[in-house]
Amino acid sequence: MQMVLGVIQQVALIPVFLHYWSSDILAAWLVVYAIGSLVPIADFGLQFRAINRFLAFKSGVDCDGRTARFFAAMLRIYLGLAGFLVVLVLAGARLLSPSVAFGFQAISDFDAAFLVMTVGLLLTLPANLVSGLYRARGLYGRAVNLQSIGMLVGQVVQLIAIVATGSLLAVIVAYVATQMAVAVYFVADVPRLFPFLRGVRVKLSMRWIIGQLQYAAPFAVAGAAELALLNIPVLLVSALVSDRVAVAQWGLTRVVAGLLRMLCIQTTLPLAAELGHDYAVGLRERLRSLYARGSVFVTLLASVVVSGLLPFWPDFFALWTHGAVPYDPVLAITLLIGTAAVAPSILALGYANYSNRGTLLVRTKGLQLAVFLVLSVVLIQRIGPLGAAIAVIASDLMIQFGLLGIIILRQTLQRPFAHIAVLVMLMVTVTLCGWGLGTAIRSLLPWTGLTRFVAECALWLCVVGLVASPLLSARLRNGLIARIPT
């Protein structure tokens, strides 16, 4: 449900926005949305620090008492951090106008939209601590359900705002207000679910606070790098490319790759939490089996999705943008295939976060961010948005997959390179077969427009479903799972 709502937010609402906005205002929306998506970097890794502590408490004495004291102390840090960052953002916006920095002087309410997005989402940071406790205590589904309800309500309110006002600022207020409402409910409701949190008072020393920030720093670097790869390319293209249509083209094409990446992340989050639990309590055989199956699953999922997107994305893009934004096939293919190729490393990243591998994270993700930034500055100025795509994919393949992913595989599995060979074979086979099937279907169907797009997608899904139907047999599935190298 969360992924469906994510698709609605970033894909289905775009044609509605284009009906009321010009491509310049749409580009402004994409930039401000990317800025809002970068706000979780301000968590500074405290959420993963808290999750690892909550998991560690489960294997010790007085689990509830230690959890309650740590939760109360961390909540005070979060509240102070959010307040400090809000003041910092307001002061920074006074010194340098956001519309000037990002090239949107023609959009009258861009500065106000920027402040509403950043300040509002910064105030939601304390909810991260509650979400972390939910994950550690097996209530991950509750957190996702509440967030999904907030997203759904937010999308309805955004539609009302744009139809009633046509204003960029009104849409962003609608988006942020629902996020803040969900965050307030998270923090207010958690004592009801965990009564042991009530009435706990703690005294914090500056030394303890600094210590928590130091322990969280590796997770902050990893989280910053991951969010940067998703969102900073939009900002860099906006700042370095003068053509606003090219900015909109990049932002819209990046949406599909970002959604694919988020699909993989959302798929691996509950797996990573379970792996972190097994790691914390020493269940090595169960951990190895779960990691191997999870790695194959996320690879298969990404490959199937990409194999369907590659042939049909051009038709959808034309319908999606009403022809107002040109389609760039090289850009789309580069982003989609590259994102699918690094899908297994997303599980490795999640597991590293949940197993307290701070040193490994800070070294690899810090290096990846540096490589990405250098390549982006060099390539965007030479070849435009395609340079940003190459920078993202190259840094992913070289560092996240080639370094972090392989290190985690070697530390976790007994036959890591045999496992990689299976993943590569699976990815290439599924992607090429699905892409070839889609290309054949496109060449056979006679219609045009929406009718053609719906028909070709439906036919592709039917054929793929028929080919995959033998997997309904538990005996066949178990036999295939048993052959996965661990």
Side-chain angles (χ1 to χ4, degrees), residues 412-456:
T412 306
L413 303 182
Q414 294 176 330
R415 301 168 59 199
F417 294 104
H419 186 81
I420 291 174
V422 169
L423 295 181
V424 171
M425 180 184 67
L426 180 67
M427 189 182 306
V428 171
T429 302
V430 171
T431 302
L432 291 180
C433 289
W435 192 0
L437 173 64
T439 303
I441 290 174
R442 285 190 72 200
S443 66
L444 294 174
L445 293 182
W447 304 296
T448 59
L450 181 62
T451 303
R452 174 189 174 90
F453 176 73
V454 171
E456 62 192 13

Side-chain angles (χ1 to χ4, degrees), residues 38 41 87 111 159 178 185 234 243 256 287 382 428 446 484:
L38 286 171
I41 291 176
V87 172
D111 288 346
L159 288 172
T178 51
Y185 182 82
V234 179
D243 185 356
V256 68
L287 186 152
R382 295 188 178 184
V428 171
I484 297 174

Side-chain angles (χ1 to χ4, degrees), residues 43-116:
D43 179 87
F44 288 111
L46 291 171
Q47 185 186 48
F48 282 112
R49 164 64 181 168
I51 290 172
N52 279 289
R53 294 304 296 152
F54 292 148
L55 289 172
F57 294 153
K58 293 177 74 173
S59 59
V61 296
D62 191 23
C63 173
D64 289 349
R66 295 175 71 188
T67 297
R69 290 188 292 272
F70 187 78
F71 182 92
M74 291 296 290
L75 184 59
R76 290 179 61 183
I77 292 178
Y78 264 106
L79 293 172
L81 177 64
F84 171 75
L85 291 173
V86 166
V87 172
L88 200 62
V89 167
L90 292 174
R94 292 271 302 183
L95 295 174
L96 177 62
S97 169
S99 60
V100 173
F102 295 106
F104 288 101
Q105 297 94 323
I107 309 298
S108 59
D109 52 0
F110 184 87
D111 288 346
F114 173 90
L115 288 175
V116 169

Side-chain angles (χ1 to χ4, degrees), residues 152-177:
L152 179 59
V153 173
Q155 288 162 5
V156 173
V157 178
Q158 286 174 67
L159 288 172
I160 295 172
I162 194 168
V163 171
T165 69
S167 166
L168 171 66
L169 178 60
V171 172
I172 289 176
V173 168
Y175 174 79
V176 173

Side-chain angles (χ1 to χ4, degrees), residues 43 58 70 85 117 134-135 158 166 234 240 275 290-291 297 299 353 406 425 473 481:
D43 179 87
K58 293 177 74 173
F70 187 78
L85 291 173
M117 180 68 84
Y134 283 173
R135 295 184 194 183
Q158 286 174 67
V234 179
L240 298 176
L275 291 167
L290 179 60
Y291 189 95
F297 177 69
T299 301
N353 275 308
I406 290 178
M425 180 184 67
S473 167
I481 290 171

Side-chain angles (χ1 to χ4, degrees), residues 207-223:
R207 181 178 179 181
W208 190 86
I209 294 173
I210 293 173
Q212 299 311 306
L213 292 172
Q214 288 176 338
Y215 286 125
F219 303 108
V221 172

Side-chain angles (χ1 to χ4, degrees), residues 242-324:
S242 59
D243 185 356
R244 298 292 92 182
V245 175
V247 174
Q249 181 189 62
W250 161 255
L252 293 173
T253 306
R254 181 64 182 148
V255 162
V256 68
L259 285 172
L260 175 61
R261 194 181 190 98
M262 288 307 300
L263 173 62
C264 296
I265 291 173
Q266 291 292 341
T267 301
T268 58
L269 273 176
L271 290 172
E274 194 68 23
L275 291 167
H277 173 270
D278 293 346
Y279 178 84
V281 300
L283 299 176
R284 304 297 299 179
E285 287 300 323
R286 175 177 164 175
L287 186 152
R288 187 177 295 117
S289 173
L290 179 60
Y291 189 95
R293 286 179 288 146
S295 181
V296 168
F297 177 69
V298 72
T299 301
L300 181 61
L301 178 65
S303 301
V304 170
V305 172
V306 168
S307 72
L309 286 171
L310 285 170
F312 304 133
W313 182 250
D315 292 346
F316 176 78
F317 194 89
L319 293 168
W320 187 34
T321 62
H322 306 299

